[in-house]
Amino acid sequence: GAVVSQHPSRVICKSGTSVKIECRSLDFQATTMFWYRQFPKQSLMLMATSNEGSKATYEQGVEKDKFLINHASLTLSTLTVTSAHPEDSSFYICRRAGRGKLAKNIQYFGAGTRLSVL
Amino acid sequence: GDSVTQMEGPVTLSEEAFLTINCTYTATGYPSLFWYVQYPGEGLQLLLKATKADDKGSNKGFEATYRKETTSFHLEKGSVQVSDSAVYFCALNHDNNNDMRFGAGTRLTVKP
C-alpha cells in the first residue's frame, strides 16, 4: 500500500485563491519531506525541503512567500500555494526518503497534485 | 551540476514490441542511477536501480545497465504489455545525499 499519501490529487481554482496540498507519511515519522513541481514535458524540479520543527529550505528561484511549507508534525507536511495564478498551474509531488540501512536510497513519492488555476 | 537527460516521448508501441528508453547523465563522482515508473493517478514507484558501474538493474522484465563510459542507463524490455503503459523517469543521486535529479519523463503507451 501507499507509504506516502498526498491530497488532493487534483485542484481547479480561481486566480487569487490559496491552495493547500497535504503530504502524509503513513508508516513512520518523517522529519524531512521534499516538494517538487513538474511542468509539462519537463523534469521534476525540487522546490524545497520541509523540515519538522524548523523552517523549510527553498531552492534558488522559488518564492518563499508564494509557496508556504509547513511541517506541522512528524507525519504531515503541507505546501500552500498562496494567491495562485495561472502560471502556478503545475503538477506538485512530495517525496520522502526511506529509513534504515536496508532502505538506503529508497524513495517514496506521493501520488501528486495537479493544480489548474483558471 | 548533476543532470539527467532522457528520451522525449511520447512512445507508442504495440504489445510484445521491444522497448528502449534512452537516459544519459552528467554527474561528478559515482552516483546511483534509478528508473521510476508512474502509473496513472499514482506516485512514482521505483522500478530498478544500479549503484555502480556495470551493474544491471532488473525488475518485471525491465533492465538497465549502468554504463560509466557512455554515462548512460538505458531502459529496455523485450516484450511490452498494455499494463506497462505509464510514465518512466530516469534519476540519479549520490549516496546519503537527498538531492535527486530527474529526467523529464517519457510517456509510454502500449496498444493491444
Side-chain angles (χ1 to χ4, degrees):
Chain A
V3 172
V4 176
S5 173
Q6 185 172 344
H7 177 82
S9 58
R10 186 173 178 86
V11 178
I12 300 173
C13 68
K14 293 182 179 179
S15 185
T17 59
S18 293
V19 175
K20 180 185 283 188
I21 302 170
E22 295 186 347
C23 193
R24 292 182 184 274
S25 176
L26 300 181
D27 63 340
F28 80 97
Q29 297 171 339
T31 56
T32 304
M33 200 78 80
F34 304 91
W35 287 94
Y36 293 81
R37 69 183 296 182
Q38 184 185 29
F39 292 105
K41 298 184 179 181
Q42 295 187 30
S43 180
L44 278 72
M45 300 300 296
L46 180 64
M47 299 175 64
T49 303
S50 168
N51 303 297
E52 192 274 335
S54 64
K55 292 183 179 180
T57 304
Y58 289 82
E59 295 300 301
Q60 190 174 10
V62 177
E63 298 177 60
K64 301 177 182 181
D65 296 333
K66 176 73 171 177
F67 300 100
L68 298 179
I69 288 175
N70 183 15
H71 204 123
S73 72
L74 287 171
T75 59
L76 175 64
S77 176
T78 62
L79 166 66
T80 301
V81 183
T82 61
S83 187
H85 291 281
E87 58 265 29
D88 299 323
S89 298
S90 189
F91 185 72
Y92 296 87
I93 192 165
C94 60
R95 168 176 76 89
R96 193 210 78 199
R99 63 169 175 170
K101 190 175 182 180
L102 294 179
K104 181 180 175 183
N105 253 339
I106 296 177
Q107 308 292 333
Y108 299 97
F109 292 83
T113 298
R114 185 161 300 284
L115 172 63
S116 300
V117 185
L118 306 178
Chain B
D2 295 352
S3 66
V4 177
T5 302
Q6 72 180 93
M7 173 176 154
E8 280 191 31
V11 174
T12 302
L13 296 173
S14 297
E15 207 164 21
E16 299 184 3
F18 184 86
L19 168 72
T20 300
I21 301 177
N22 289 339
C23 171
T24 57
Y25 67 91
T26 301
T28 56
Y30 301 91
S32 294
L33 303 175
F34 307 84
W35 277 100
Y36 284 88
V37 59
Q38 184 178 31
Y39 298 104
E42 299 183 19
L44 278 70
Q45 303 171 23
L46 179 64
L47 179 60
L48 54 84
K49 68 174 182 178
T51 57
K52 60 182 187 295
D54 299 325
D55 266 3
K56 177 185 283 187
S58 61
N59 185 25
K60 300 181 180 179
F62 291 89
E63 292 183 341
T65 301
Y66 190 142
R67 302 283 188 201
K68 187 151 182 71
E69 64 275 15
T70 54
T71 61
S72 65
F73 193 55
H74 304 321
L75 182 68
E76 296 182 336
K77 186 174 186 181
S79 176
V80 293
Q81 305 301 313
V82 173
S83 57
D84 293 327
S85 298
V87 181
Y88 292 83
F89 292 89
C90 186
L92 70 79
N93 82 340
H94 294 275
D95 285 356
N96 298 319
N97 184 337
N98 284 314
D99 184 11
M100 292 200 75
R101 303 290 173 141
F102 292 88
T106 303
R107 181 175 298 279
L108 169 66
T109 300
V110 180
K111 296 186 174 181

